[in-house]
């Protein structure tokens, strides 16, 4: 081959396969198999019972033998039976994995036969699929190299690794749904936007605001009402499916499953949900989602804050669906701050209530990042190295985590350095490696795709 003739670029599908396999392998290897949060454990038990018995009831099962946490498994009653109380998706999605385990191992239905592995593997594979979908969306916005780097950061330098891929949280499904909506919207496949929007609502019902914002904004500004009809029609079918599921398990047609809306609108004094009875407490809870030491979006992922000036500068040139998704992520997070305590519970590394915003904001933030100058790129590299260290620690070890009362004025990552100062060496090595990789593979300029104006 002549020296001036370059090898053809590797096809995008090969990069996508490699990205999925790397993410899936790391996620499966580091998922939570023994140290399982009560939210995840409850969902796993529900799926295991359906797969092993064909019914959702947990009557006669010593769930406390399974439960190794300090909290109580989430249950309710229906037709005189005990049943796991969780959103539809986190139970339904791992039923196939538990069914495969039943076929392979011929295990029984007692507490001794339970395993968290099928649920953990399911969460890992779902999150790897989310990374692939987000990468596919970013390919329509920027160059292949920039899209791939951004997808790697999304996958391993955020709580996508330490939370969504660790076990079957509701956020595992919402991140999948939002990433899928981004992929579909970037290709103007509006039925698929509705389908992935429905997937997100099976995880957390109020993500409906995200699909609605994309559909209505694109329909209005493009003067194409059919967009809203297509998204809404398939989304409605998905929500109806969640209602059917809820009726089977709980005897109610509410698509939120085991979550009763009364918990969020009835504020009993002294409960975890009484904070929005006071304007000051409500504002404090809202602010904590962004700046609390151990739960703040901007604290754990400062790359977001670093990109805000460029985001403002590039805002008008960004595709309509990106802007709609970003703003709907902000709206969703504000609603989340009204609906539930900012911390999201104990035993979490990073944040979970901000994951929906992170997924919604990623396309816009990537479009901003590719416009960064040399100095900002240098700062971004350092920050990404720190985030990779932080979430590598949490993703691999599933710890350290802080207890209640420490979420405002402490941070698990910083506390880890206090406890084990030698971790500073790891931080220095990862940051140095990030700079080295950037210099070796990303220093040459590459033409960026121009975002389509709508």
């Amino acid at each position: 081959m002549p020296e001036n003739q370059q090898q053809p670029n590797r096809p995008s599908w090969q990069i996508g396969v490699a990205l999925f396999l790397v993410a899936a392998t790391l996620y499966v290897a580091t998922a939570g198999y023994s140290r399982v949060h009560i939210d995840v454990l409850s969902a796993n038990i529900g799926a295991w019972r359906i797969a092993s018995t064909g019914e959702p009831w947990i009557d006669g099962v010593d769930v406390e033998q399974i439960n190794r946490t300090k909290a109580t498994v989430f249950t309710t009653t229906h037709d005189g039976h005990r049943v796991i109380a969780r959103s539809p998706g986190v139970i339904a999605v791992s039923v196939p994995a538990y069914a495969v385990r039943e076929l392979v191992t011929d295990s029984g239905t007692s507490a001794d036969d339970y395993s968290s592995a099928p649920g953990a593997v399911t969460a890992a594979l779902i999150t790897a699929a989310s990374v692939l979908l987000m990468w596919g969306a970013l390919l329509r916005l920027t160059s292949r190299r920039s899209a791939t780097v951004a997808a790697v950061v999304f996958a391993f330098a955020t709580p996508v690794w330490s939370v969504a891929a660790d076990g079957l949280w509701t956020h595992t499904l919402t991140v999948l749904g939002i990433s899928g909506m981004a992929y579909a919207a970037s290709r103007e496949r509006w039925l698929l936007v509705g389908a992935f929007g429905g997937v997100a609502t099976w995880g957390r019902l109020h993500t409906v605001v995200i699909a609605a914002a994309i559909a209505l904004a694109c329909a209005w500004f493009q003067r194409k009402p059919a967009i809203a009809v297509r998204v809404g029609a398939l989304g409605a079918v998905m929500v109806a499916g969640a209602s059917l599921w809820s009726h089977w398990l709980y005897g109610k047609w509410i698509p939120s499953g085991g979550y009763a809306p009364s918990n969020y609108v009835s504020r009993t004094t002294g409960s975890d949900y009484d904070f929005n009875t006071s304007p000051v407490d409500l504002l404090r809870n809202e602010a904590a989602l962004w700046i609390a030491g151990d739960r703040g979006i901007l604290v754990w992922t400062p790359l977001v804050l670093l990109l805000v000036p460029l985001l403002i500068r590039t805002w008008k040139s960004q595709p309509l669906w990106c802007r709609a998704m970003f703003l709907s992520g902000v709206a969703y997070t504000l609603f989340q701050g009204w609906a539930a305590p900012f911390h999201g519970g104990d035993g979490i590394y990073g944040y979970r209530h901000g994951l929906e915003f992170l997924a919604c904001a990623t396309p816009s933030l990537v479009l901003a990042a590719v416009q960064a100058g040399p100095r900002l790129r240098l700062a971004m590299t350092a920050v990404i190295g720190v985030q990779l260290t932080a979430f590598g620690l949490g993703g691999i070890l599933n710890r350290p985590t802080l207890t209640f009362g420490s979420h405002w004025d402490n941070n698990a990552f910083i506390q880890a350095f206090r406890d084990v100062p030698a971790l500073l060496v790891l931080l220095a090595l990862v940051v140095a490696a990030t700079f080295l990789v950037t210099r070796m593979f990303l220093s040459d300029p590459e033409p960026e795709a121009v975002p389509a104006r709508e």
Side-chain angles (χ1 to χ4, degrees):
M1 180 179 291
E3 290 182 359
N4 61 351
Q5 184 176 347
Q6 296 182 349
Q7 279 190 321
N9 288 328
R10 189 177 300 275
S12 292
W13 71 266
Q14 292 185 10
I15 297 175
V17 169
L19 179 65
F20 174 81
L21 291 177
V22 169
T25 300
L26 281 175
Y27 287 164
V28 169
T30 60
Y33 297 99
S34 58
R35 189 172 181 263
V36 182
H37 195 280
I38 192 63
D39 292 49
V40 174
L41 180 65
S42 298
N44 289 347
I45 292 173
W48 165 64
R49 288 298 287 176
I50 292 173
S52 61
T53 69
E55 298 287 349
W57 325 126
I58 59 172
D59 302 331
V61 178
D62 185 5
V63 293
E64 295 310 317
Q65 178 184 338
I66 300 172
N67 183 14
R68 299 178 182 177
T69 73
K70 298 177 182 178
T72 304
V73 172
F74 302 147
T75 63
T76 187
T77 58
H78 171 45
D79 282 348
H81 297 284
R82 287 183 73 203
V83 62
I84 293 294
R86 292 290 283 150
S87 65
V90 291
I91 297 176
V93 73
S94 64
V95 170
Y98 277 101
V100 169
R101 176 177 177 264
E102 290 293 319
L103 290 173
V104 172
T105 65
D106 196 26
S107 57
T109 59
S110 69
D112 292 332
D113 298 306
Y114 168 79
S115 170
S116 291
V121 172
T122 300
L125 295 179
I126 285 176
T127 309
S130 300
V131 173
L132 182 62
L133 287 166
M134 184 61 74
W135 173 78
L138 298 177
L139 283 177
R140 292 301 179 100
L141 301 175
T142 184
S143 68
R144 185 167 56 189
R145 186 170 67 184
S146 294
T148 304
V149 170
V152 169
V153 173
F154 178 74
F156 302 116
T158 73
V160 168
W161 187 2
S162 64
V163 176
D166 189 56
L168 274 171
W169 290 91
T170 54
H171 313 284
T172 308
L173 284 175
T174 57
V175 170
L176 174 68
I178 294 167
S179 299
M181 282 189 276
Y183 174 87
S186 69
R187 289 157 174 77
E188 298 188 347
R189 297 175 64 178
W190 303 114
L191 286 175
L192 197 56
V193 171
F196 276 113
V199 169
T201 61
W202 273 63
R204 300 177 76 80
L205 182 60
H206 43 302
T207 55
V208 68
V209 69
I210 299 169
I214 297 171
L216 294 175
C218 292
W220 177 266
F221 288 103
Q222 294 183 18
R223 301 293 189 267
K224 295 179 179 179
I227 293 175
V229 172
R230 290 173 183 171
V231 175
L234 202 50
V237 171
M238 296 290 290
V239 172
S243 295
L244 286 170
W245 177 275
S246 297
H247 188 264
W248 176 42
L249 266 67
Y250 311 112
K252 302 174 182 178
W253 292 102
I254 301 171
S256 56
Y259 291 108
S262 59
N263 292 339
Y264 302 99
V265 297
S266 178
R267 308 290 170 160
T268 305
T269 302
S271 73
D272 288 338
Y273 294 88
D274 70 349
F275 55 86
N276 76 1
T277 58
S278 162
V280 174
D281 289 341
L282 176 58
L283 287 174
R284 183 178 185 273
N285 197 69
E286 294 281 8
L289 288 169
W290 302 93
I291 61 174
D294 199 51
R295 290 293 185 268
I297 297 169
L298 302 180
V299 175
W300 278 104
T301 43
L303 187 61
V304 175
L305 186 61
L306 198 63
L307 290 172
V308 167
L310 271 179
L311 176 68
I312 295 171
R313 191 185 309 170
T314 60
W315 181 255
K316 290 184 179 180
S317 67
Q318 296 194 3
L320 179 59
W321 69 266
C322 290
R323 288 177 281 165
M325 182 169 279
F326 184 95
L327 293 176
S328 65
V330 174
Y332 171 91
T333 307
L334 290 174
F335 178 83
Q336 185 62 51
W338 172 87
F342 75 91
H343 50 72
D346 210 351
I348 303 164
Y349 188 90
Y351 55 80
R352 68 182 184 93
H353 286 322
L355 275 171
E356 288 76 20
F357 167 78
L358 179 73
C360 286
T362 293
S364 287
L365 292 174
V366 170
L367 281 173
V370 297
Q371 301 299 321
R375 290 183 180 179
L376 184 55
R377 286 180 180 269
L378 196 66
M380 287 167 53
T381 302
V383 170
I384 289 170
V386 173
Q387 289 185 200
L388 284 169
T389 308
F391 291 104
L393 182 67
I396 294 171
L397 301 180
N398 304 118
R399 54 176 57 87
T401 59
L402 301 181
T403 56
F404 283 117
S406 302
H407 301 321
W408 254 111
D409 55 5
N410 200 354
N411 177 273
F413 185 46
I414 294 175
Q415 185 60 47
F417 290 115
R418 295 193 188 107
D419 296 338
V420 186
L423 287 173
L424 287 169
V425 177
L426 174 65
L427 175 62
L429 289 174
V430 174
V431 173
T434 305
F435 274 103
L436 180 61
V437 170
T438 300
R439 183 174 180 82
M440 290 175 61
F441 300 105
L442 304 176
S443 58
D444 295 334
E446 181 185 26
E448 300 293 341
V450 179
R453 299 181 69 94
E454 294 170 303

